[in-house]
């Protein structure tokens, strides 16, 4: 089925793809930031529009769950036409701090909804828009004999219970928290989110995960805020998901953009497979949590929003990036950039 579900998208997609993170890149929850560029819906919509005007097919590549990235109309078409089963997101909050449902288009910038392909749950799921509306989950992203989400999670939590590493499960991984309005989403199927009291505890688990086939840890920490957070998934995060999508579009891709604000985005920009003759550029938007110093050469183009577009945060740096034509800019060999990661 994996081939056929891409038929419509292949017919409308261009040869230029932009894989775009959401939180901290295109927009943010008001409770998480006071950066005006991230809270400006018009600016976020403009960023997507500018990419599309310049020939890019935009694909979301986000930690958000897929239903958070659909309009209400597409959500119900997905349920009606393709048996979509995930509950609606509760993206608004009342005066008692309980989450409740409103149309996603009423609370998020409209242009980030209903894009042709949605890579969600930190790269653990891929959904594809169909010609008559609605999304189909790409079941071919996993092998036919792969365990269902309940069995997979039981296996991973059993492994975690035997470790002596200090961590806590995220509130969003609790079904009861969703049902009681404490969190805004139903738990993702093939993802477990963990928080750690220190960086060293996270790194200890990362070392253990490397010994296990078919299990990956994505580090999404923000050390500046003393937040140490990781996702466990059966796929190698955004890297595997981007590679999978590109392999099914069956186009001669000429330009690939990977746009984000955190280490998983940078890692995807550096490690995705390069299609023949395609240029790959990674834009780390202004206001990123990452810190960089010029050190060594890189084989791929890296554009640092904080360096290239001063005082431009998130979507504003995307707009500046497109207008400056820097997606066709080649970093001189002597001016390569190395990430100085403090996590």
């Amino acid at each position: 089925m994996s081939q056929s579900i891409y038929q419509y998208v292949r017919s409308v997609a261009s040869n230029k793809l932009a894989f775009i993170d959401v939180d901290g890149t295109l927009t943010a929850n008001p409770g998480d930031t006071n950066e005006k560029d991230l809270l400006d819906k018009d600016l976020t919509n403009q960023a997507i529009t500018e990419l599309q005007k310049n020939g890019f097919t935009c694909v979301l590549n986000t930690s958000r769950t897929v239903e958070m990235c659909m309009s209400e109309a597409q959500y119900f078409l997905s349920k009606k036409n393709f048996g979509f089963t995930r509950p609606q997101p509760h993206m608004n909050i009342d005066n008692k701090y309980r989450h409740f449902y409103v149309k996603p288009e009423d609370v998020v910038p409209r242009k980030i909804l209903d894009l042709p392909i949605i890579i969600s749950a930190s790269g653990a799921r891929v959904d594809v828009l169909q010609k008559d509306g609605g999304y189909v989950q790409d079941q071919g992203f996993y092998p036919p004999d792969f365990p269902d989400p309940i069995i997979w999670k039981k296996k991973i939590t059993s492994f975690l219970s035997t470790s002596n590493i200090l961590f806590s499960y995220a509130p969003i991984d609790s079904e009861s928290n969703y049902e009681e309005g404490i969190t805004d989403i139903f738990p993702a199927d093939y993802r477990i989110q963990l928080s750690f009291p220190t960086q060293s505890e996270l790194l200890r688990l990362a070392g253990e995960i490397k010994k296990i086939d078919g299990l990956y840890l994505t580090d999404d920490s923000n050390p500046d805020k003393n937040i140490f957070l990781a996702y466990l998934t059966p796929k190698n995060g955004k890297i595997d998901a981007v590679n999978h999508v590109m392999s099914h579009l069956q186009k001669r891709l000429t330009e690939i953009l990977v746009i984000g604000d955190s280490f998983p985005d940078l890692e995807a920009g550096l490690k995705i497979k390069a299609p023949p003759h395609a240029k790959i550029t990674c834009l780390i938007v202004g206001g990123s949590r990452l810190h960089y110093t010029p050190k060594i050469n890189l084989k791929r183009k890296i554009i640092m929003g904080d360096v290239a577009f001063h005082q431009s945060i998130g979507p504003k740096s995307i707009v500046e990036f497109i207008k400056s034509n820097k997606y066709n800019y080649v970093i001189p060999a002597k001016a390569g950039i190395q990430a100085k990661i403090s996590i």
Side-chain angles (χ1 to χ4, degrees):
M1 183 179 182
S2 205
Q3 290 286 343
S4 62
I5 68 171
Y6 286 88
Q7 182 175 350
Y8 170 66
V9 170
R10 285 200 297 263
S11 72
V12 298
S14 67
N15 292 331
K16 300 164 69 174
L17 302 179
F19 294 90
I20 318 167
D21 176 55
V22 176
D23 291 294
T25 300
L26 285 172
T27 188
N29 293 318
D32 296 335
T33 185
N34 57 7
E35 290 286 355
K36 61 181 179 61
D37 288 352
L38 284 169
L39 299 175
D40 186 335
K41 291 184 180 181
D42 290 338
L43 191 55
T44 296
N45 290 333
Q46 184 186 359
I48 298 292
T49 298
E50 291 292 337
L51 286 163
Q52 292 169 335
K53 282 169 54 179
N54 281 273
F56 286 95
T57 297
C58 296
V59 177
L60 284 191
N61 193 16
T62 176
S63 62
R64 293 190 178 194
T65 53
V66 61
E67 65 277 5
M68 300 178 81
C69 307
M70 300 180 192
S71 65
E72 184 179 75
Q74 290 296 339
Y75 175 87
F76 282 111
L77 282 171
S78 302
K79 283 178 68 80
K80 176 184 175 183
N81 296 339
F82 306 110
F84 188 85
T85 59
R86 288 188 56 80
Q88 291 174 303
H90 295 166
M91 298 175 71
N92 212 338
I93 193 166
D94 63 21
N95 57 11
K96 295 182 179 180
Y97 302 102
R98 287 291 185 264
H99 292 270
F100 64 95
Y101 176 76
V102 294
K103 294 180 181 180
E105 55 265 42
D106 289 345
V107 292
V108 303
R110 186 62 181 82
K111 294 288 286 188
I112 71 172
L113 302 174
D114 303 343
L115 291 175
I117 299 172
I118 302 169
I119 296 171
S120 63
S122 312
R125 176 170 173 143
V126 178
D127 288 79
V128 185
L129 186 65
Q130 302 302 293
K131 182 177 181 179
D132 295 325
Y135 285 84
V136 174
Q137 182 180 359
D138 185 349
Q139 302 287 355
F141 191 39
Y142 295 96
D145 59 348
F146 199 77
D148 68 35
I150 294 175
I151 294 174
W152 179 81
K153 285 188 175 182
K154 284 183 177 178
K155 179 180 178 181
I156 304 308
T157 54
S158 176
F159 155 72
L160 291 171
S161 69
T162 64
S163 75
N164 61 352
I165 296 169
L166 296 176
F167 70 88
S168 59
Y169 290 102
I172 62 170
D173 279 340
S174 165
E175 293 184 17
S176 62
N177 281 348
Y178 167 79
E179 291 163 356
E180 294 170 16
I182 298 171
T183 57
D184 56 353
I185 59 165
F186 192 79
D189 294 339
Y190 289 113
R191 182 186 70 184
I192 294 174
Q193 180 177 321
L194 304 175
S195 296
F196 302 84
T198 64
Q199 175 186 1
S200 61
E201 292 295 310
L202 187 157
L203 294 176
R204 286 178 61 207
L205 182 61
E208 293 299 314
I209 297 298
K210 287 180 180 178
K211 304 173 187 177
I212 303 174
D213 290 335
L215 184 62
Y216 298 89
L217 182 146
T218 297
D219 189 339
D220 200 19
S221 298
N222 189 341
D224 290 342
K225 295 184 178 180
N226 204 35
I227 295 172
F228 302 102
L229 181 153
Y231 303 112
L232 301 185
T233 57
K235 290 286 186 174
N236 191 11
K238 295 181 175 183
I239 300 167
D240 280 355
V242 170
N243 286 335
H244 181 83
V245 165
M246 290 193 299
S247 72
H248 283 290
L249 287 183
Q250 298 181 354
K251 284 186 173 286
R252 187 182 185 278
L253 299 172
T254 59
E255 191 116 24
I256 308 297
L257 291 181
V258 177
I259 304 175
D261 74 308
S262 63
F263 182 65
D265 305 303
L266 173 64
E267 189 176 40
L270 293 175
K271 293 184 178 181
I272 58 172
K273 295 177 182 177
H277 312 297
K279 301 175 184 178
I280 298 180
T281 301
C282 182
L283 169 64
I284 302 299
V285 298
S288 165
R289 70 189 74 170
L290 300 181
H291 305 288
Y292 296 82
T293 55
K295 284 249 174 125
I296 63 172
N297 296 332
L298 290 174
K299 295 180 180 179
R300 296 185 179 181
K301 292 177 286 184
I302 308 295
I303 304 294
M304 304 304 304
D306 283 330
V307 175
F309 315 109
H310 299 294
Q311 318 251 327
S312 295
I313 305 298
K316 187 174 182 180
S317 57
I318 299 174
V319 173
E320 296 297 325
F321 168 71
I322 291 294
K323 288 183 175 180
S324 69
N325 202 34
K326 284 187 178 291
Y327 55 92
N328 286 323
Y329 170 74
V330 179
I331 296 176
K334 65 180 180 180
I337 293 174
Q338 179 186 34
K340 183 182 179 183
I341 308 296
S342 57
I343 57 178

